[in-house]
Amino acid sequence: MTEGGSNAMWGGRFSAGPDAIMEAINASIGFDRRLSDQDIRGSKAHAAMLAQQGILTQADAEAIRDGLDKVKAEIDAGDFAFSTALEDIHMNVESRLRELIGAAAGRLHTARSRNDQVATDFRLWVRDQCDAALTGIATLQRALVAQAESGADWVMPGFTHLQTAQPVTWGHHMMAYVEMLARDAGRFGDARARMNECPLGAAALAGTSFPIDRSATAAALGFDRPMANSLDAVSDRDFALEFLAASSICALHLSRLAEELVIWSSAQFRFVVLSDRFSTGSSIMPQKKNPDAAELIRAKIGRIVGASMALLVVMKGLPLAYSKDMQEDKEQVFDAADTLMLVLAAMDGMVRDMTANRDALEASASSGFSTATDLADWLVRELGLPFREAHHVTGALVALAEGRGVDLPDLNLADMQGVHPEIRAEVFDVLGVRNSVASRTSYGGTAPARVREQVARWKEALA
Ligand code: ARG
């Protein structure tokens, strides 16, 4: 489409075409071809609106619509010759349209600019990714809820500082991630709602003198309304930043679960067995079964947070309105979105397939003085000790047991009474880990009964 070495889109002012290096730094077609579907949808909505407003003839609008359908079919079939000389997806599509339908193609760009065009395309694309993230999150939540349901009363150690703290249930631990993911979904939902305004018709930056109907194009593209300020419409990318921020936090949550799976699947813990389908072997050590998927999920957050930082830095300090800097938004968001969908799917597969080792979980929960708090609470409840004193008495009993290399339930009543004479035999009831978790019935607590309530609530919400 270049004519006489210059560019047919703006060749009127130019006598020479671009240097090869200029073309290399300027072109975005290598990546923004991913916006072809959004670009063509936007153009069809724009052309239909122009005809409805009497700005285009019905015949031209129909030729444009049919031509755009052909362009889309060529792209979908892999038959489209993308050209770097044509810089970006917008000019590639328009140029091919001109080859297909002739001069009418030149009327499509009436009352619009690539600035509002790309802002519209990109919003449509990011909006789809919000929907994909919501679907991926819900799928993973279902897998976690299924794990929680089967192990609602399985006892495992709860940790603080990665030191045994108090017994909890497997179901409760799984449901903690369901809650985190619910807030992630909320963030994607909020971002989606906020970004769902249409930039199209802002034109280059100032709006247009043509009598366009921006509400019509907004509605045709599924937006709630047109954006109210043309300068803002073409020059902000906060919708993409919000998507990246929500993605970063979601990836962070996944990295924490991934880290737990790495630890839990080790020979030292044996809390879970990951399936062969989501593990790899070692080329030298025959015994190895490695949690590579979990490790990669733990690592891939780096790309997503990196994309978020990169776009923040690109946007920082840009004067209004459009600057070419903004072309640097796309690769970051594309990579982050691809990565997020992959890690959500991989985590879903791993969680769905994994088997928790109930016996190892309970054995581990029973060691490390995990019911020391239950003992202290008993001293408060039954003997009326102030909590601080109960804490002290319990500490002395832990030291006694530790010195003998045993756990709290292994001490006998005489040992206990040696530290506090009023301690009675019933105290042993609270030293068992099952009783411990069953007693934590406060709202949001780890008691199996409470976990089952949450499982039921989430099963209904995710159905
Ligand atoms: N490829 C450009 C981008 O991604 C499209 C908008 C170009 N606008 C302009 N005035 N050069 O941002």
Side-chain angles (χ1 to χ4, degrees):
M1 176 109 193
T2 49
E3 287 157 16
S6 182
N7 186 308
M9 300 293 174
W10 54 74
R13 191 200 186 292
F14 283 67
S15 52
D19 186 90
I21 296 295
M22 176 62 206
E23 198 169 282
I25 193 173
N26 200 36
S28 54
I29 189 61
F31 48 88
D32 68 12
R33 62 176 69 183
R34 277 188 81 164
L35 299 176
S36 66
D37 182 56
Q38 289 74 12
D39 195 68
I40 289 170
R41 269 155 64 201
S43 287
K44 286 174 72 174
H46 183 66
M49 179 277 291
L50 291 177
Q52 174 202 302
Q53 296 300 103
I55 301 166
L56 269 191
T57 65
Q58 209 58 49
D60 282 346
E62 277 165 26
I64 288 170
R65 182 196 61 209
D66 295 346
L68 286 169
D69 285 341
K70 279 196 197 109
V71 174
K72 175 167 165 50
E74 289 179 6
I75 293 174
D76 290 348
D79 289 341
F80 191 92
F82 290 102
S83 152
T84 307
L86 290 166
E87 207 179 307
D88 58 25
I89 186 63
H90 324 296
M91 297 203 290
N92 269 267
V93 169
E94 188 184 324
S95 165
R96 179 66 185 139
L97 184 65
R98 183 195 289 255
E99 288 170 6
L100 290 169
I101 70 167
R107 298 188 186 279
L108 171 61
H109 214 54
T110 312
R112 90 174 175 185
S113 150
R114 282 187 295 156
N115 297 349
D116 58 337
Q117 200 179 348
V118 73
T120 304
D121 294 1
F122 201 35
R123 266 182 198 250
L124 288 170
W125 196 90
V126 177
R127 193 178 72 181
D128 283 350
Q129 299 305 307
C130 288
D131 292 338
L134 288 170
T135 303
I137 287 171
T139 305
L140 172 55
Q141 283 179 306
R142 278 186 215 104
L144 289 161
V145 170
Q147 283 285 350
E149 186 170 32
S150 53
D153 59 356
W154 298 2
V155 183
M156 68 180 284
F159 300 94
T160 61
H161 314 265
L162 199 55
Q163 307 285 323
T164 300
Q166 294 174 353
V168 296
T169 48
W170 171 256
H172 199 48
H173 200 117
M174 292 296 106
M175 294 307 288
Y177 284 103
V178 173
E179 294 290 335
M180 292 178 228
L181 288 164
R183 290 191 297 277
D184 291 328
R187 276 180 278 275
F188 284 111
D190 290 348
R192 188 196 194 285
R194 221 170 353 264
M195 79 178 64
N196 204 29
E197 295 187 341
C198 188
L200 197 59
L205 73 167
T208 174
S209 56
F210 289 98
I212 60 172
D213 180 352
R214 291 193 59 206
S215 295
T217 42
L221 295 169
F223 288 108
D224 294 331
R225 63 192 77 85
M227 291 182 76
N229 184 298
S230 61
L231 292 166
D232 174 44
V234 293
S235 70
D236 205 358
R237 295 293 182 265
D238 60 352
F239 63 95
L241 289 168
E242 282 196 51
F243 172 77
L244 293 174
S247 299
S248 296
I249 298 173
C250 182
L252 176 151
H253 288 149
L254 297 183
S255 80
R256 299 183 71 181
L257 178 53
E259 165 72 354
E260 298 202 304
L261 294 179
V262 169
I263 295 173
W264 292 352
S265 63
S266 68
Q268 287 68 26
F269 271 73
R270 297 193 311 106
F271 283 7
V272 297
V273 178
L274 300 175
S275 72
D276 288 357
R277 294 175 352 128
F278 283 92
S279 307
T280 57
S282 158
S283 56
I284 177 168
M285 295 167 283
Q287 87 283 11
K288 290 293 286 279
K289 186 168 152 187
N290 293 328
D292 289 36
E295 295 165 80
L296 286 163
I297 292 169
R298 188 174 60 182
K300 278 187 187 288
I301 182 180
R303 302 169 75 121
I304 296 175
V305 174
S308 184
M309 289 303 121
L311 186 54
L312 284 167
V313 174
V314 165
M315 295 305 295
K316 181 201 167 292
L318 284 185
L320 303 191
Y322 177 85
S323 295
K324 195 64 175 258
D325 307 51
M326 288 178 202
Q327 180 165 287
E328 287 292 308
D329 57 0
K330 293 171 202 62
E331 284 168 292
Q332 302 296 339
V333 176
F334 290 161
D335 186 69
D338 291 345
T339 303
L340 181 72
M341 304 317 153
L342 183 61
V343 293
L344 280 169
M347 185 59 92
D348 172 58
M350 247 189 325
V351 170
R352 217 162 272 281
D353 274 17
M354 74 185 177
T355 314
N357 184 345
R358 184 180 185 170
D359 295 337
L361 289 170
E362 185 160 338
S364 177
S366 306
S367 66
F369 313 107
S370 67
T371 53
T373 315
D374 298 85
L375 173 53
D377 287 349
W378 187 89
L379 295 169
V380 170
R381 211 170 38 241
E382 300 296 325
L383 304 187
L385 265 51
F387 183 77
R388 278 295 153 223
E389 191 185 335
H391 187 289
H392 192 79
V393 170
T394 306
L397 287 166
V398 166
L400 181 66
E402 192 169 38
R404 293 195 193 157
V406 299
D407 262 292
L408 284 173
D410 305 320
L411 295 175
N412 59 40
L413 188 58
D415 296 329
M416 299 261 188
Q417 289 173 341
V419 175
H420 197 288
E422 288 170 53
I423 295 180
R424 301 188 305 272
E426 302 96 83
V427 75
F428 287 97
D429 291 345
V430 302
L431 298 183
V433 291
R434 292 191 190 194
N435 286 340
S436 170
V437 296
S439 72
R440 296 234 151 63
T441 52
S442 54
Y443 180 76
T446 198
R450 286 305 197 189
V451 172
R452 290 197 179 97
E453 285 166 11
Q454 294 298 323
V455 166
R457 178 170 77 87
W458 276 108
K459 277 177 82 171
E460 197 178 311
L462 294 165

